[in-house]
Amino acid sequence: MRGSDELLSQTAAVSNGNMMSPQANHADNNNDAKKLKLEKTGAGKPSRVIHIRNIPNEVTEAEIIHLGIPFGRVTNVLVLKGKNQAFLEMADETAASTMVQYFTTCVAQLRGRAVYVQFSNHRELKTDQTHSNANASAQAALQAAQALSGSAPNEVQGGPNTVLRVIVEHMVYPVTLDVLHQLFSRFGKVLKIVTFTKNNSFQALIQYPDVVTAQSAKLSLDGQNIYNSCCTLRIEYSKLSNLNVKYNNDKSRDYTNPGLPTGDAGMEMGSMGALGPLGLGMAGLGGAAGVLASPFAAMHGLGSPLTGPYGNSAVGAAAGMPLAGFSLPGAANALGAAGLRLTGQPGGQCVLLVSNLNEEMVTPDALFTLFGVYGDVQRVKILYNKKDSALIQMAEPHQANLAMTHMDKLRMFGKQIRVMPSKHLNVQLPKEGQPDAGLTKDYTTSPLHRFKKPGSKNYQNIYPPSATLHLSNIPPSVSEEEITEAFVKNGFQVKGFKFFPSYVKLSKEDASESVLELSSDLKDRKMALIQLSSMDEAVSALIKMHNYQLSEQNHLRVSFSKSNI
């Protein structure tokens, strides 16, 4: 790609991240424009200016800066949101070279999207002095970054290390090992995690392969909330340089050694030796069978500062908070801290009231399938005398909370539904002889439940409704044409389709060419993305196509995707 940062001419002006014409800039000389002068260097040659491509639209200056902080002092930043590009100026070429070199061996990510890091064709990023304070957010982010990078060497714990010690404060929601893994994996490969409770606070030790990754995670996550206004991360460097993990279970995990035993569930973690010589008060938090892997993972995209780390999340603050009618145990509750299932706990509410349904089209099965994306639906009752309303009973309170968070005000069959807690504790089946007309159904024993298995990985793949659906359980014999034809035949307009090639998974472990070539020959395509014309249509398609029979043995599994095609 011929120096795509040529998009910037030496006289380009930038306002709020979008390109402006010189005339527009001249006409409004008092706007927040940043006049830029870029001095050229030879293509591919080292420069202290770094060019970053494929950034998400909503990314902030601070997030771009955080990519560079572990490698040295950041002196300037420019984000071109309209072009999905950014420029980062480091204090010297050595820091820039270290950064570019590092990201040739591992993929840089911003908000879950892979971004490309290379030397810019320009020597430095100059901003016109008369506009130097125009972009307040960039200035504030730079000052904060410089303060952070300046304080890093003086850490109380003795400076950067590959092992981080994480303390979760104000833990309103349970935080599990899998939630931590999902968060900290954004910065690089996590090798090991050990969780424990000490001084009535939930803590974890997290090991990375190198100091740069650990430092990047610490600088990005320290002081952030996992969910809105709660579950605050306090991160410091551990005195340990290596974690001794003997068991892979819900309290400790060695991702480099998946063959470790789970340990006896009846034994206390303190006596299991998972922490080796650390002696970190784990008594009473044994590896129980009913572990909740990551029930709130989906909420990271809903008003959580971790997907909008600098307060730019578009979703209301209430999205990540406990909602009316639901209460979850706090940090003092050992079960909550251990991330155990909350079924039957006081204040837990499993029944939802759904109103403004399209009574001509809605059925118990449709509600079961749609709400089943966010939890295991036990019973559905469409009200006999008010058929635009229904009661839905979920298996557990957190599932009801998730469903309400994602589904309230969603359009279903052309109408915007409302979802709220019900005053009922459970959904009653009709008594014998009572008129019902098939409006009440019990799904307790349904084979289509997604989360029945304790610690189900499906918890990690819960996303808000979108126009793109994730398809799985596709047999090798079924082609793209056959799948899209099935959707079209059922009345849906397909805008895009993409198989997940198996080599994507392998390349994370080993990016060598031989592995990539081998795996691409396997043609093991069990999953795909399909994009429909709108979110409304995707909701209808999920209801219609989930469990669609593709072959004698294979039924399609459908959920919402976090990605677009």
Side-chain angles (χ1 to χ4, degrees):
M1 183 171 179
R2 180 182 150 280
S4 59
D5 67 352
E6 298 292 343
L7 290 165
L8 282 171
S9 70
Q10 289 193 336
T11 58
V14 180
S15 172
N16 299 326
N18 296 314
M19 297 297 291
M20 295 179 59
S21 70
Q23 292 85 350
N25 189 49
H26 179 74
D28 185 5
N29 211 16
N30 297 318
N31 65 9
D32 287 349
K34 210 178 193 185
K35 285 184 180 174
L36 195 68
K37 297 171 189 170
L38 292 165
E39 295 182 7
K40 289 285 188 76
T41 182
K45 288 184 181 176
S47 162
R48 63 192 187 95
V49 179
I50 290 172
H51 180 220
I52 303 165
R53 294 183 290 118
N54 196 40
I55 66 170
N57 288 329
E58 66 279 11
V59 87
T60 64
E61 285 89 352
E63 288 170 275
I64 298 295
I65 289 168
H66 272 68
L67 277 181
I69 283 177
F71 305 95
R73 193 162 68 88
V74 178
T75 51
N76 211 345
V77 64
L78 175 69
V79 177
L80 298 174
K81 292 184 179 176
K83 302 290 184 185
N84 296 97
Q85 300 181 40
F87 294 87
L88 196 63
E89 182 186 87
M90 305 299 286
D92 54 66
E93 272 187 21
T94 305
S97 296
T98 306
M99 180 175 173
V100 171
Q101 182 60 38
Y102 179 77
F103 287 122
T104 58
T105 58
C106 74
V107 177
Q109 285 198 337
L110 286 169
R111 301 197 180 203
R113 182 195 282 195
V115 299
Y116 306 103
V117 177
Q118 62 195 44
F119 289 118
S120 168
N121 290 338
H122 303 285
R123 298 296 303 172
E124 58 184 316
L125 212 55
K126 284 186 180 176
T127 53
D128 191 305
Q129 290 304 307
T130 59
H131 296 280
S132 59
N133 296 315
N135 192 334
S137 60
Q139 292 298 317
L142 278 169
Q143 286 173 15
Q146 283 155 7
L148 277 170
S149 56
S151 65
N154 304 315
E155 291 290 343
V156 180
Q157 295 296 92
N161 184 14
T162 56
V163 179
L164 299 176
R165 180 169 175 242
V166 180
I167 300 169
V168 182
E169 296 176 352
H170 188 41
M171 197 167 82
V172 175
Y173 291 123
V175 175
T176 64
L177 183 147
D178 286 332
V179 167
L180 291 172
H181 183 258
Q182 185 175 3
L183 293 180
F184 283 82
S185 292
R186 296 178 177 195
F187 303 92
K189 186 176 177 63
V190 172
L191 301 184
K192 301 171 186 177
I193 300 180
V194 173
T195 64
F196 55 95
T197 298
K198 185 179 182 183
N199 301 330
N200 283 330
S201 68
F202 178 74
Q203 303 189 24
L205 295 168
I206 298 174
Q207 183 174 343
Y208 282 110
D210 56 75
V211 172
V212 167
T213 310
Q215 188 176 13
S216 178
K218 180 184 183 298
L219 290 170
S220 297
L221 293 179
D222 188 24
Q224 300 294 330
N225 297 329
I226 297 177
Y227 306 113
N228 264 14
S229 308
C230 65
C231 302
T232 307
L233 294 168
R234 299 293 174 206
I235 305 174
E236 58 191 33
Y237 295 108
S238 169
K239 293 174 182 174
L240 298 163
S241 57
N242 185 48
L243 296 180
N244 177 26
V245 178
K246 294 185 178 177
Y247 298 99
N248 282 342
N249 53 33
D250 58 299
K251 296 294 166 289
S252 62
R253 199 81 52 85
D254 184 342
Y255 297 95
T256 66
N257 188 1
L260 287 177
T262 57
D264 183 352
M267 294 174 67
E268 293 180 348
M269 285 290 287
S271 62
M272 282 162 63
L275 303 178
L278 303 181
L280 293 169
M282 289 292 293
L285 295 182
V291 174
L292 185 58
S294 176
F296 301 99
M299 284 183 161
H300 298 160
L302 289 173
S304 161
L306 289 180
T307 21
Y310 305 100
N312 289 334
S313 176
V315 182
M321 290 297 291
L323 299 158
F326 296 99
S327 65
L328 293 175
N333 185 316
L335 285 173
L340 300 182
R341 287 184 179 266
L342 307 172
T343 309
Q345 296 208 5
Q349 172 61 282
C350 294
V351 180
L352 297 169
L353 172 63
V354 186
S355 57
N356 202 38
L357 292 162
N358 182 334
E359 55 187 275
E360 302 296 322
M361 297 180 69
V362 74
T363 63
D365 285 351
L367 292 170
F368 165 76
T369 302
L370 184 58
F371 279 74
V373 171
Y374 300 109
D376 292 338
V377 176
Q378 304 296 291
R379 289 178 181 175
V380 176
K381 178 190 281 287
I382 296 175
L383 304 185
Y384 187 76
N385 294 319
K386 190 171 168 45
K387 293 185 174 62
D388 70 344
S389 299
L391 295 173
I392 299 177
Q393 183 176 335
M394 309 296 286
E396 298 177 5
H398 71 265
Q399 295 179 353
N401 199 350
L402 271 177
M404 184 163 63
T405 300
H406 288 291
M407 309 270 289
D408 186 38
K409 299 183 181 173
L410 179 70
R411 289 182 66 82
M412 176 186 181
F413 298 144
K415 297 191 74 172
Q416 189 180 63
I417 64 172
R418 296 307 311 266
V419 185
M420 61 192 73
S422 166
K423 62 185 179 183
H424 297 284
L425 295 178
N426 51 56
V427 172
Q428 299 289 340
L429 294 173
K431 296 187 175 75
E432 190 136 354
Q434 192 176 343
D436 180 68
L439 297 176
T440 306
K441 289 188 77 169
D442 185 289
Y443 295 95
T444 311
T445 58
S446 170
L448 295 180
H449 287 156
R450 299 175 189 241
F451 308 99
K452 204 167 186 177
K453 185 181 174 187
S456 168
K457 285 187 177 178
N458 288 335
Y459 274 122
Q460 298 170 31
N461 296 307
I462 295 177
Y463 300 104
S466 73
T468 306
L469 299 175
H470 180 276
L471 311 179
S472 59
N473 206 35
I474 301 169
S477 58
V478 173
S479 67
E480 173 182 335
E481 289 72 24
E482 288 172 285
I483 296 172
T484 53
E485 187 183 329
F487 276 78
V488 171
K489 188 175 70 180
N490 280 280
F492 303 111
Q493 190 178 356
V494 176
K495 291 286 191 182
F497 184 94
K498 184 175 78 172
F499 271 115
F500 283 103
S502 57
Y503 65 76
V504 172
K505 289 184 179 179
L506 293 173
S507 65
K508 287 182 182 176
E509 303 300 322
D510 183 348
S512 69
E513 291 180 14
S514 58
V515 170
L516 292 172
E517 287 170 12
L518 169 68
S519 56
S520 61
D521 287 341
L522 298 176
K523 303 210 185 305
D524 178 19
R525 304 181 301 184
K526 293 179 180 174
M527 296 189 293
L529 294 179
I530 190 164
Q531 190 167 327
L532 301 164
S533 60
S534 66
M535 194 192 297
D536 293 24
E537 188 166 270
V539 169
S540 300
L542 186 146
I543 292 168
K544 181 89 171 178
M545 302 302 290
H546 183 61
N547 205 40
Y548 181 87
Q549 188 161 358
L550 290 173
S551 69
E552 279 188 35
Q553 289 83 25
N554 293 75
H555 288 72
L556 193 62
R557 296 286 175 261
V558 186
S559 58
F560 293 114
S561 170
K562 66 175 177 180
S563 311
N564 292 322
I565 296 176

